[in-house]
PDB file of all heavy atoms in Angstrom:
ATOM      1  N   GLY A 440       9.990   6.102  11.548  1.00 95.00           N
ATOM      2  CA  GLY A 440      11.291   5.894  11.852  1.00 95.00           C
ATOM      3  C   GLY A 440      11.471   5.338  13.275  1.00 95.00           C
ATOM      4  O   GLY A 440      10.442   4.779  13.701  1.00 95.00           O
ATOM      5  N   PRO A 441      12.731   5.149  13.690  1.00 97.00           N
ATOM      6  CA  PRO A 441      13.938   5.860  13.178  1.00 97.00           C
ATOM      7  C   PRO A 441      14.750   4.969  12.086  1.00 97.00           C
ATOM      8  O   PRO A 441      15.655   5.510  11.556  1.00 97.00           O
ATOM      9  CB  PRO A 441      14.765   5.943  14.326  1.00 97.00           C
ATOM     10  CG  PRO A 441      14.474   4.717  15.231  1.00 97.00           C
ATOM     11  CD  PRO A 441      12.949   4.409  14.879  1.00 97.00           C
ATOM     12  N   LYS A 442      14.315   3.802  11.709  1.00 95.00           N
ATOM     13  CA  LYS A 442      15.097   3.070  10.813  1.00 95.00           C
ATOM     14  C   LYS A 442      14.285   2.319   9.599  1.00 95.00           C
ATOM     15  O   LYS A 442      14.875   1.754   8.712  1.00 95.00           O
ATOM     16  CB  LYS A 442      15.786   1.947  11.479  1.00 95.00           C
ATOM     17  CG  LYS A 442      16.693   2.455  12.744  1.00 95.00           C
ATOM     18  CD  LYS A 442      17.462   1.355  13.362  1.00 95.00           C
ATOM     19  CE  LYS A 442      18.248   1.754  14.574  1.00 95.00           C
ATOM     20  NZ  LYS A 442      18.968   0.652  15.247  1.00 95.00           N
ATOM     21  N   ASP A 446       7.456   2.059  10.372  1.00 94.00           N
ATOM     22  CA  ASP A 446       7.456   2.288  11.701  1.00 94.00           C
ATOM     23  C   ASP A 446       6.972   3.645  12.112  1.00 94.00           C
ATOM     24  O   ASP A 446       7.667   4.556  12.363  1.00 94.00           O
ATOM     25  CB  ASP A 446       8.741   2.032  12.522  1.00 94.00           C
ATOM     26  CG  ASP A 446       9.242   0.606  12.395  1.00 94.00           C
ATOM     27  OD1 ASP A 446       8.284  -0.275  12.484  1.00 94.00           O
ATOM     28  OD2 ASP A 446      10.465   0.340  12.323  1.00 94.00           O
ATOM     29  N   VAL A 448       4.987   6.807  13.705  1.00 96.00           N
ATOM     30  CA  VAL A 448       4.888   7.340  14.946  1.00 96.00           C
ATOM     31  C   VAL A 448       4.069   8.584  14.868  1.00 96.00           C
ATOM     32  O   VAL A 448       4.483   9.573  14.059  1.00 96.00           O
ATOM     33  CB  VAL A 448       6.262   7.682  15.621  1.00 96.00           C
ATOM     34  CG1 VAL A 448       6.176   8.213  17.110  1.00 96.00           C
ATOM     35  CG2 VAL A 448       7.260   6.513  15.493  1.00 96.00           C
ATOM     36  N   MET A 453       6.280  11.571  19.176  1.00 98.00           N
ATOM     37  CA  MET A 453       7.672  11.629  18.769  1.00 98.00           C
ATOM     38  C   MET A 453       8.693  11.622  19.784  1.00 98.00           C
ATOM     39  O   MET A 453       9.642  10.830  19.836  1.00 98.00           O
ATOM     40  CB  MET A 453       7.887  12.531  17.577  1.00 98.00           C
ATOM     41  CG  MET A 453       7.417  12.240  16.242  1.00 98.00           C
ATOM     42  SD  MET A 453       8.289  10.972  15.450  1.00 98.00           S
ATOM     43  CE  MET A 453       9.810  11.951  14.999  1.00 98.00           C
ATOM     44  N   LYS A 454       8.617  12.631  20.656  1.00 98.00           N
ATOM     45  CA  LYS A 454       9.489  12.886  21.696  1.00 98.00           C
ATOM     46  C   LYS A 454       9.716  11.578  22.573  1.00 98.00           C
ATOM     47  O   LYS A 454      10.839  11.043  22.797  1.00 98.00           O
ATOM     48  CB  LYS A 454       9.209  14.000  22.611  1.00 98.00           C
ATOM     49  CG  LYS A 454      10.193  14.291  23.694  1.00 98.00           C
ATOM     50  CD  LYS A 454       9.764  15.550  24.498  1.00 98.00           C
ATOM     51  CE  LYS A 454      10.789  15.869  25.545  1.00 98.00           C
ATOM     52  NZ  LYS A 454      10.512  17.083  26.397  1.00 98.00           N
ATOM     53  N   LYS A 455       8.506  11.117  23.054  1.00 97.00           N
ATOM     54  CA  LYS A 455       8.558   9.764  23.962  1.00 97.00           C
ATOM     55  C   LYS A 455       9.064   8.627  23.207  1.00 97.00           C
ATOM     56  O   LYS A 455       9.742   7.871  23.879  1.00 97.00           O
ATOM     57  CB  LYS A 455       6.984   9.615  24.433  1.00 97.00           C
ATOM     58  CG  LYS A 455       6.927   8.400  25.330  1.00 97.00           C
ATOM     59  CD  LYS A 455       5.490   8.266  25.700  1.00 97.00           C
ATOM     60  CE  LYS A 455       5.278   6.980  26.620  1.00 97.00           C
ATOM     61  NZ  LYS A 455       3.874   6.696  26.951  1.00 97.00           N
ATOM     62  N   ASP A 456       8.612   8.542  22.034  1.00 97.00           N
ATOM     63  CA  ASP A 456       9.095   7.421  21.153  1.00 97.00           C
ATOM     64  C   ASP A 456      10.601   7.346  20.954  1.00 97.00           C
ATOM     65  O   ASP A 456      11.187   6.396  21.175  1.00 97.00           O
ATOM     66  CB  ASP A 456       8.424   7.300  19.801  1.00 97.00           C
ATOM     67  CG  ASP A 456       8.652   5.982  19.126  1.00 97.00           C
ATOM     68  OD1 ASP A 456       8.027   5.004  19.256  1.00 97.00           O
ATOM     69  OD2 ASP A 456       9.604   6.057  18.227  1.00 97.00           O
ATOM     70  N   PHE A 457      11.095   8.476  20.509  1.00 98.00           N
ATOM     71  CA  PHE A 457      12.627   8.521  20.402  1.00 98.00           C
ATOM     72  C   PHE A 457      13.349   8.174  21.760  1.00 98.00           C
ATOM     73  O   PHE A 457      14.447   7.456  21.706  1.00 98.00           O
ATOM     74  CB  PHE A 457      13.010   9.943  19.904  1.00 98.00           C
ATOM     75  CG  PHE A 457      14.574  10.024  19.757  1.00 98.00           C
ATOM     76  CD1 PHE A 457      15.206   9.556  18.565  1.00 98.00           C
ATOM     77  CD2 PHE A 457      15.312  10.661  20.726  1.00 98.00           C
ATOM     78  CE1 PHE A 457      16.506   9.640  18.363  1.00 98.00           C
ATOM     79  CE2 PHE A 457      16.720  10.775  20.470  1.00 98.00           C
ATOM     80  CZ  PHE A 457      17.325  10.222  19.453  1.00 98.00           C
ATOM     81  N   GLU A 458      12.912   8.689  22.869  1.00 97.00           N
ATOM     82  CA  GLU A 458      13.553   8.593  24.067  1.00 97.00           C
ATOM     83  C   GLU A 458      13.377   7.144  24.470  1.00 97.00           C
ATOM     84  O   GLU A 458      14.359   6.535  25.102  1.00 97.00           O
ATOM     85  CB  GLU A 458      13.024   9.491  25.167  1.00 97.00           C
ATOM     86  CG  GLU A 458      13.403  11.001  24.887  1.00 97.00           C
ATOM     87  CD  GLU A 458      12.834  12.006  25.750  1.00 97.00           C
ATOM     88  OE1 GLU A 458      11.801  11.602  26.462  1.00 97.00           O
ATOM     89  OE2 GLU A 458      13.294  13.074  25.808  1.00 97.00           O
ATOM     90  N   THR A 459      12.436   6.356  24.046  1.00 97.00           N
ATOM     91  CA  THR A 459      12.273   4.990  24.452  1.00 97.00           C
ATOM     92  C   THR A 459      13.297   4.304  23.535  1.00 97.00           C
ATOM     93  O   THR A 459      13.839   3.285  23.915  1.00 97.00           O
ATOM     94  CB  THR A 459      10.857   4.583  24.134  1.00 97.00           C
ATOM     95  OG1 THR A 459       9.870   5.181  24.932  1.00 97.00           O
ATOM     96  CG2 THR A 459      10.732   2.994  24.346  1.00 97.00           C
ATOM     97  N   CYS A 460      13.389   4.600  22.181  1.00 97.00           N
ATOM     98  CA  CYS A 460      14.240   4.086  21.334  1.00 97.00           C
ATOM     99  C   CYS A 460      15.669   4.023  21.824  1.00 97.00           C
ATOM    100  O   CYS A 460      16.562   3.253  21.556  1.00 97.00           O
ATOM    101  CB  CYS A 460      14.159   4.579  19.883  1.00 97.00           C
ATOM    102  SG  CYS A 460      12.675   4.100  18.978  1.00 97.00           S
ATOM    103  N   LEU A 461      16.062   5.203  22.391  1.00 97.00           N
ATOM    104  CA  LEU A 461      17.496   5.419  22.860  1.00 97.00           C
ATOM    105  C   LEU A 461      17.891   4.334  23.775  1.00 97.00           C
ATOM    106  O   LEU A 461      19.040   3.690  23.632  1.00 97.00           O
ATOM    107  CB  LEU A 461      17.550   6.743  23.652  1.00 97.00           C
ATOM    108  CG  LEU A 461      17.935   8.042  22.905  1.00 97.00           C
ATOM    109  CD1 LEU A 461      18.072   9.100  23.907  1.00 97.00           C
ATOM    110  CD2 LEU A 461      19.232   7.831  22.184  1.00 97.00           C
ATOM    111  N   GLY A 462      17.151   3.878  24.720  1.00 95.00           N
ATOM    112  CA  GLY A 462      17.628   2.859  25.627  1.00 95.00           C
ATOM    113  C   GLY A 462      17.162   1.416  25.253  1.00 95.00           C
ATOM    114  O   GLY A 462      17.621   0.434  25.821  1.00 95.00           O
ATOM    115  N   ALA A 463      16.356   1.321  24.168  1.00 96.00           N
ATOM    116  CA  ALA A 463      15.927  -0.042  23.832  1.00 96.00           C
ATOM    117  C   ALA A 463      17.141  -0.800  23.140  1.00 96.00           C
ATOM    118  O   ALA A 463      17.905  -0.257  22.814  1.00 96.00           O
ATOM    119  CB  ALA A 463      14.767  -0.059  22.852  1.00 96.00           C
ATOM    120  N   LYS A 464      16.900  -2.148  23.192  1.00 93.00           N
ATOM    121  CA  LYS A 464      17.891  -3.081  22.579  1.00 93.00           C
ATOM    122  C   LYS A 464      18.125  -2.744  21.137  1.00 93.00           C
ATOM    123  O   LYS A 464      17.216  -2.361  20.499  1.00 93.00           O
ATOM    124  CB  LYS A 464      17.440  -4.632  22.776  1.00 93.00           C
ATOM    125  CG  LYS A 464      18.367  -5.547  22.234  1.00 93.00           C
ATOM    126  CD  LYS A 464      17.781  -6.950  22.391  1.00 93.00           C
ATOM    127  CE  LYS A 464      18.744  -8.057  22.001  1.00 93.00           C
ATOM    128  NZ  LYS A 464      18.155  -9.332  21.933  1.00 93.00           N
ATOM    129  N   GLN A 465      19.404  -2.900  20.783  1.00 91.00           N
ATOM    130  CA  GLN A 465      19.663  -2.645  19.343  1.00 91.00           C
ATOM    131  C   GLN A 465      18.810  -3.283  18.383  1.00 91.00           C
ATOM    132  O   GLN A 465      18.636  -4.543  18.483  1.00 91.00           O
ATOM    133  CB  GLN A 465      21.199  -2.941  19.116  1.00 91.00           C
ATOM    134  CG  GLN A 465      21.593  -2.698  17.697  1.00 91.00           C
ATOM    135  CD  GLN A 465      21.844  -1.134  17.486  1.00 91.00           C
ATOM    136  OE1 GLN A 465      22.354  -0.547  18.360  1.00 91.00           O
ATOM    137  NE2 GLN A 465      21.614  -0.703  16.315  1.00 91.00           N
ATOM    138  N   GLY A 466      18.150  -2.487  17.497  1.00 90.00           N
ATOM    139  CA  GLY A 466      17.270  -3.177  16.619  1.00 90.00           C
ATOM    140  C   GLY A 466      16.517  -2.012  15.731  1.00 90.00           C
ATOM    141  O   GLY A 466      16.958  -0.918  15.770  1.00 90.00           O
ATOM    142  N   PHE A 467      15.411  -2.457  15.204  1.00 91.00           N
ATOM    143  CA  PHE A 467      14.659  -1.365  14.409  1.00 91.00           C
ATOM    144  C   PHE A 467      14.247  -0.243  15.076  1.00 91.00           C
ATOM    145  O   PHE A 467      14.018   0.768  14.618  1.00 91.00           O
ATOM    146  CB  PHE A 467      13.488  -2.126  13.628  1.00 91.00           C
ATOM    147  CG  PHE A 467      13.934  -3.261  12.638  1.00 91.00           C
ATOM    148  CD1 PHE A 467      13.451  -4.453  12.730  1.00 91.00           C
ATOM    149  CD2 PHE A 467      14.907  -2.970  11.690  1.00 91.00           C
ATOM    150  CE1 PHE A 467      13.920  -5.436  11.866  1.00 91.00           C
ATOM    151  CE2 PHE A 467      15.351  -3.944  10.712  1.00 91.00           C
ATOM    152  CZ  PHE A 467      14.765  -5.320  10.826  1.00 91.00           C
ATOM    153  N   LYS A 468      13.846  -0.549  16.472  1.00 95.00           N
ATOM    154  CA  LYS A 468      13.427   0.598  17.210  1.00 95.00           C
ATOM    155  C   LYS A 468      14.200   0.746  18.503  1.00 95.00           C
ATOM    156  O   LYS A 468      13.805   1.038  19.593  1.00 95.00           O
ATOM    157  CB  LYS A 468      11.950   0.281  17.591  1.00 95.00           C
ATOM    158  CG  LYS A 468      10.959   0.287  16.481  1.00 95.00           C
ATOM    159  CD  LYS A 468      10.610   1.713  16.020  1.00 95.00           C
ATOM    160  CE  LYS A 468       9.750   2.354  17.087  1.00 95.00           C
ATOM    161  NZ  LYS A 468       9.471   3.795  16.570  1.00 95.00           N
ATOM    162  N   GLY A 469      15.585   0.485  18.291  1.00 95.00           N
ATOM    163  CA  GLY A 469      16.469   0.582  19.486  1.00 95.00           C
ATOM    164  C   GLY A 469      17.878   0.935  19.098  1.00 95.00           C
ATOM    165  O   GLY A 469      18.446   0.464  18.036  1.00 95.00           O
ATOM    166  N   PHE A 470      18.666   1.682  20.127  1.00 95.00           N
ATOM    167  CA  PHE A 470      19.942   2.114  19.972  1.00 95.00           C
ATOM    168  C   PHE A 470      20.777   1.643  21.083  1.00 95.00           C
ATOM    169  O   PHE A 470      21.970   1.802  20.956  1.00 95.00           O
ATOM    170  CB  PHE A 470      20.002   3.658  19.726  1.00 95.00           C
ATOM    171  CG  PHE A 470      19.265   4.176  18.530  1.00 95.00           C
ATOM    172  CD1 PHE A 470      18.127   4.809  18.687  1.00 95.00           C
ATOM    173  CD2 PHE A 470      19.883   4.122  17.262  1.00 95.00           C
ATOM    174  CE1 PHE A 470      17.488   5.398  17.589  1.00 95.00           C
ATOM    175  CE2 PHE A 470      19.238   4.600  16.172  1.00 95.00           C
ATOM    176  CZ  PHE A 470      17.983   5.130  16.320  1.00 95.00           C
ATOM    177  N   GLN A 471      20.291   1.153  22.111  1.00 95.00           N
ATOM    178  CA  GLN A 471      20.864   0.581  23.165  1.00 95.00           C
ATOM    179  C   GLN A 471      21.978   1.527  23.742  1.00 95.00           C
ATOM    180  O   GLN A 471      23.127   1.287  24.087  1.00 95.00           O
ATOM    181  CB  GLN A 471      21.631  -0.766  22.735  1.00 95.00           C
ATOM    182  CG  GLN A 471      21.825  -1.817  23.890  1.00 95.00           C
ATOM    183  CD  GLN A 471      22.177  -3.119  23.442  1.00 95.00           C
ATOM    184  OE1 GLN A 471      21.623  -3.600  22.268  1.00 95.00           O
ATOM    185  NE2 GLN A 471      22.836  -3.885  24.200  1.00 95.00           N
ATOM    186  N   VAL A 472      21.556   2.717  24.021  1.00 96.00           N
ATOM    187  CA  VAL A 472      22.362   3.705  24.775  1.00 96.00           C
ATOM    188  C   VAL A 472      22.249   3.615  26.260  1.00 96.00           C
ATOM    189  O   VAL A 472      21.002   3.546  26.682  1.00 96.00           O
ATOM    190  CB  VAL A 472      21.955   5.208  24.176  1.00 96.00           C
ATOM    191  CG1 VAL A 472      22.784   6.257  25.038  1.00 96.00           C
ATOM    192  CG2 VAL A 472      22.181   5.318  22.769  1.00 96.00           C
ATOM    193  N   HIS A 477      21.883   9.287  28.251  1.00 97.00           N
ATOM    194  CA  HIS A 477      20.687   9.767  27.451  1.00 97.00           C
ATOM    195  C   HIS A 477      20.647  11.209  27.297  1.00 97.00           C
ATOM    196  O   HIS A 477      20.104  11.786  26.341  1.00 97.00           O
ATOM    197  CB  HIS A 477      19.379   9.261  28.106  1.00 97.00           C
ATOM    198  CG  HIS A 477      18.989   7.784  27.729  1.00 97.00           C
ATOM    199  ND1 HIS A 477      17.833   7.226  27.869  1.00 97.00           N
ATOM    200  CD2 HIS A 477      19.909   6.830  27.416  1.00 97.00           C
ATOM    201  CE1 HIS A 477      17.820   5.959  27.535  1.00 97.00           C
ATOM    202  NE2 HIS A 477      19.123   5.661  27.337  1.00 97.00           N
ATOM    203  N   VAL A 595      23.280   9.771  18.907  1.00 97.00           N
ATOM    204  CA  VAL A 595      22.338   9.355  17.862  1.00 97.00           C
ATOM    205  C   VAL A 595      21.720  10.722  17.310  1.00 97.00           C
ATOM    206  O   VAL A 595      20.850  11.341  17.821  1.00 97.00           O
ATOM    207  CB  VAL A 595      21.196   8.386  18.515  1.00 97.00           C
ATOM    208  CG1 VAL A 595      20.130   8.151  17.420  1.00 97.00           C
ATOM    209  CG2 VAL A 595      21.701   7.331  19.210  1.00 97.00           C
ATOM    210  N   ARG A 615      22.210   8.285  12.684  1.00 95.00           N
ATOM    211  CA  ARG A 615      21.721   6.893  13.008  1.00 95.00           C
ATOM    212  C   ARG A 615      20.261   6.779  13.136  1.00 95.00           C
ATOM    213  O   ARG A 615      19.677   5.691  12.934  1.00 95.00           O
ATOM    214  CB  ARG A 615      22.414   6.410  14.325  1.00 95.00           C
ATOM    215  CG  ARG A 615      23.806   6.120  14.205  1.00 95.00           C
ATOM    216  CD  ARG A 615      24.584   6.085  15.625  1.00 95.00           C
ATOM    217  NE  ARG A 615      24.033   5.090  16.562  1.00 95.00           N
ATOM    218  CZ  ARG A 615      24.542   5.086  17.858  1.00 95.00           C
ATOM    219  NH1 ARG A 615      25.291   5.999  18.339  1.00 95.00           N
ATOM    220  NH2 ARG A 615      24.019   4.136  18.523  1.00 95.00           N
ATOM    221  N   ALA A 616      19.542   7.779  13.360  1.00 97.00           N
ATOM    222  CA  ALA A 616      18.093   7.990  13.350  1.00 97.00           C
ATOM    223  C   ALA A 616      17.678   8.864  12.196  1.00 97.00           C
ATOM    224  O   ALA A 616      18.247   9.992  12.061  1.00 97.00           O
ATOM    225  CB  ALA A 616      17.566   8.402  14.540  1.00 97.00           C
ATOM    226  N   TYR A 618      14.080  10.036  10.094  1.00 97.00           N
ATOM    227  CA  TYR A 618      12.561  10.193  10.018  1.00 97.00           C
ATOM    228  C   TYR A 618      12.074  10.631   8.764  1.00 97.00           C
ATOM    229  O   TYR A 618      12.539  11.623   8.236  1.00 97.00           O
ATOM    230  CB  TYR A 618      12.141  10.988  11.364  1.00 97.00           C
ATOM    231  CG  TYR A 618      12.235  10.219  12.614  1.00 97.00           C
ATOM    232  CD1 TYR A 618      13.400  10.476  13.378  1.00 97.00           C
ATOM    233  CD2 TYR A 618      11.315   9.390  13.156  1.00 97.00           C
ATOM    234  CE1 TYR A 618      13.677   9.940  14.606  1.00 97.00           C
ATOM    235  CE2 TYR A 618      11.522   8.883  14.341  1.00 97.00           C
ATOM    236  CZ  TYR A 618      12.679   8.996  15.048  1.00 97.00           C
ATOM    237  OH  TYR A 618      12.828   8.444  16.364  1.00 97.00           O
TER     238      TYR A 618
END
Side-chain angles (χ1 to χ4, degrees):
K442 303 180 184 181
D446 293 329
V448 186
M453 280 286 286
K454 181 178 181 179
K455 179 182 177 183
D456 186 81
F457 178 81
E458 291 175 346
T459 300
C460 289
L461 268 184
K464 182 180 177 182
Q465 183 72 39
F467 298 125
K468 293 287 285 185
F470 297 101
Q471 209 163 332
V472 175
H477 284 201
V595 180
R615 288 160 63 187
Y618 287 91

